[in-house]
Each structure stands twice: as structure tokens, then as C-alpha cells.
Amino acid sequence: MKRPFLIKRSLLIIAFLLTASWAHADNYPSDAIIAVVNDDVITLKDLREYIAGVASQLKIENKTPEEIQQVMADYEQKGLDKLIEDKLILAAAIDKGIEVRDDVVDKRFKEIEDRYPSEDELISALNTQGMTIGDLKQKLLDQLKVKYEIDMEVRDKILVNPQDVTDYYNQHMADFDLKPKVNLQSIFVSFDKYSKQEARTRADEARSRLLAGEPFDALFAKYSDSSSVGEVEQGQMADNIENVVFNLKLDEVSDPVEVENGIYVFKAIGISSGKQQTLPEVKDQIYDKLLDDEFQTKFKAWVDKLRDKAYVEIK
């Protein structure tokens, strides 16, 4: 029997979602029920542990701080929705009797274990996160069941044919127009550090020594007050700078270029002219985009159906 999908969002819920503070709601009791999924209640403690568990696993997998920050920003904002979604998908997988072979779980575990110098260091990392090897393997098992269920119900039913790729290319050719690029070494002398006259003198000295063939790194260390610019694409810089750098020849040094807060001296160490990418060059990129777009659409529709068939109430 189809059960209604009920949502009762109190001001508390809305405030938490808007401020991304579900995981840090220390002023509310841990056993406060925040949602019900079928016969399963979700407490604030469950949500905290879910979000903390995601963070713990990312750390155990030795993800970079940047990767962890990117993933966790999404979970902090949408943690409750993701927890409900995971429960619904895992329940669907279990109802379907999806099994995961032990060797598949072991292989996934081995991939994580290999990121550590020794098993002892992995165990130490798990202990730091309040987990055991058994806990990690159970998480991996549940994640694989969810993955197989998603593959079976969504991913395997998506078809992107070659004509779709061609049509997309023809309709979005401007997106595949590569703009000219120039790779720049730069020395910047700041007006905050020197008077304008002193800055001009230093910029002239740096340019003269670059023209004389002195190593850039030594001159950069002596004269520059900012990092070197590196590779830029046409349209990314102010017009007065672009008019200079995109007219440089390879290994040519620019005249000093004065901006509001200082003076630049540029040297072009790489030049790439713009071009229109051909369909064969970008077909894989287009295919992946179309596949992902279609997956997102079908996945949302499928999860909405799971919700419609379940009893979901957000307190």
C-alpha cells in the first residue's frame, strides 16, 4: 500500500538547513527525533553520526583536505536529505535481495588499506575516528549495495547515442572554441611597499636584467611582491594588460605595465593560439556530460518514487 510522503518543516529545521548547522546543533538533545522513514526513526544523534561518519571515511581513505572540504560542504547543507535517501535506497536493495560477494568488499577494503604504510597505521586511523575494521567493511558493504541498486535502476537504463552527441556539439559550438592562452612569468612591484617612483625604478631594473638573460627565479625572489601569473586565457585579465601580453612573442619581455596597485613586468614562456575544437576531439567530453545530465534527471525521478512509496516525515 502506498504511504504518503509527509514533510513538516518547522522553523528549527529551516534554520538548520540554511545555516548548515545540523551536525553542530549542541543546544538540542541528541535523542530528538528529526525524521521518520517507514518504521525507522532518525534522531539528531543519527544525523551527527552520519555526517561524522562520512568525514571519517574520507579521512581513512586519505582524501586530500580540499576533497574532504568539497564533499563535506555538500553533506553539511543536505545531510538529512542524503541520510534519508541512503536509507531508502539501501532498503530497496535489501528488499530486492541484492548481495555483494565478500571478495568485492575485500577488494574495496584493500584499496583503502594500500593507502597506508602498514595495517597498524590503518587501524590507528580507524581508532582515531572511533571505528573498527568491521565497521569500515560494513560501511563498504552498504555502499556497494546502494551502488548496485542505483546502477540497476538508473545508470544501466541510460542510453546516449552518437546522434545526441553530434546534436549537442552543433548546438553548443561556442563552448568548444578554445581561446588563445599565454603562459607568463611575471614580476610585480607593489605601490603599497614602495613609492610610485621607487616602484618604477625597481620594475625597470628587473626588466633590464631579464633582457640581459639573468635567471627569472633569482630576479623574481629579489624584486617581486606577488606570485607569478602563470597561464592565462584571453578574457581573464584587464584590457590594458591583455593588450600587452597577448601581443608578446615567445620569450619576449614586456615593457612595465602599470596598474592601480603596482607595476608588472611579463615574459611569455608559452603561447597557444585559439582554435575551434572538432567533434572527434570533444565527443568523449560531451558524452560524459550528457550521461551525467541524464543520470541526474533519472536518479531524482527514481528517488522521488521511492519517497512516494515510503512514509517519510521530517519533524
Side-chain angles (χ1 to χ4, degrees), residues 56 60 119-133 135:
S56 295
I60 289 164
E119 182 179 342
D120 287 343
E121 293 204 28
L122 170 60
I123 292 173
S124 177
L126 285 167
N127 289 339
T128 300
Q129 302 302 323
M131 295 174 64
T132 65
I133 287 178
D135 294 333

Side-chain angles (χ1 to χ4, degrees), residues 212-231:
E214 293 190 40
F216 171 79
D217 288 346
L219 296 176
F220 176 82
K222 178 177 177 60
Y223 289 101
S224 190
D225 300 317
S226 180
S227 58
S228 191
V229 170
E231 188 176 69

Side-chain angles (χ1 to χ4, degrees), residues 86-308:
D86 281 359
K87 283 184 175 291
L88 291 173
I89 297 172
L90 182 59
I94 292 171
D95 286 346
K96 199 169 290 179
I98 289 179
E99 298 288 342
V100 180
R101 299 196 316 269
D102 290 343
D103 63 299
V104 177
V105 178
D106 291 341
K107 180 181 177 182
R108 181 73 184 95
F109 175 79
K110 186 70 165 55
E111 291 172 357
I112 296 173
E113 186 179 35
D114 287 345
R115 296 171 188 170
Y116 289 83
S118 68
E119 182 179 342
D120 287 343
E121 293 204 28
L122 170 60
I123 292 173
S124 177
L126 285 167
N127 289 339
T128 300
Q129 302 302 323
M131 295 174 64
T132 65
I133 287 178
D135 294 333
L136 178 56
K137 285 190 173 183
Q138 183 61 51
K139 281 181 177 291
L140 296 176
L141 174 63
D142 290 345
Q143 288 168 2
L144 286 166
K145 285 183 179 181
V146 167
K147 177 186 180 301
Y148 291 163
E149 175 69 4
I150 293 172
D151 286 347
M152 186 183 305
E153 293 297 330
V154 183
R155 201 179 303 277
D156 292 346
K157 297 179 180 179
I158 297 173
L159 174 65
V160 176
N161 63 57
Q163 188 60 48
D164 295 332
V165 174
T166 302
D167 290 344
Y168 185 92
Y169 176 78
N170 289 333
Q171 293 165 13
H172 300 83
M173 289 187 69
D175 294 344
F176 305 106
D177 184 12
L178 291 181
K179 295 181 180 179
K181 294 180 181 180
V182 59
N183 194 4
L184 298 168
Q185 289 178 332
S186 65
I187 290 172
F188 177 74
V189 186
S190 172
F191 290 153
D192 291 335
K193 191 171 182 180
Y194 303 96
S195 69
K196 288 194 175 183
Q197 187 55 51
E198 289 173 326
R200 289 170 184 142
T201 298
R202 286 179 63 83
D204 286 337
E205 287 177 3
R207 178 176 184 274
S208 296
R209 295 176 69 171
L210 273 175
L211 289 170
E214 293 190 40
F216 171 79
D217 288 346
L219 296 176
F220 176 82
K222 178 177 177 60
Y223 289 101
S224 190
D225 300 317
S226 180
S227 58
S228 191
V229 170
E231 188 176 69
V232 293
E233 184 179 88
Q234 196 168 53
Q236 292 181 326
M237 306 179 78
D239 289 344
N240 64 321
I241 295 179
E242 290 209 343
N243 290 337
V244 173
V245 299
F246 281 97
N247 283 295
L248 291 174
K249 298 181 177 63
L250 189 62
D251 293 327
E252 184 179 1
V253 178
S254 74
D255 291 330
V257 181
E258 192 165 322
V259 295
E260 183 178 351
N261 58 338
I263 304 173
Y264 280 102
V265 176
F266 299 103
K267 181 178 179 180
I269 60 172
I271 296 175
S272 174
S273 58
K275 70 164 190 171
Q276 177 69 47
Q277 292 177 285
T278 64
L279 177 58
E281 289 176 315
V282 298
K283 62 183 178 66
D284 290 342
Q285 175 185 338
I286 295 173
Y287 177 85
D288 289 343
K289 174 180 171 43
L290 294 178
L291 190 67
D292 184 64
D293 288 349
E294 187 69 8
F295 172 81
Q296 296 299 332
T297 299
K298 289 187 178 298
F299 177 77
K300 183 180 183 305
W302 175 63
V303 170
D304 286 346
K305 286 182 180 179
L306 290 180
R307 285 176 177 264
D308 287 343

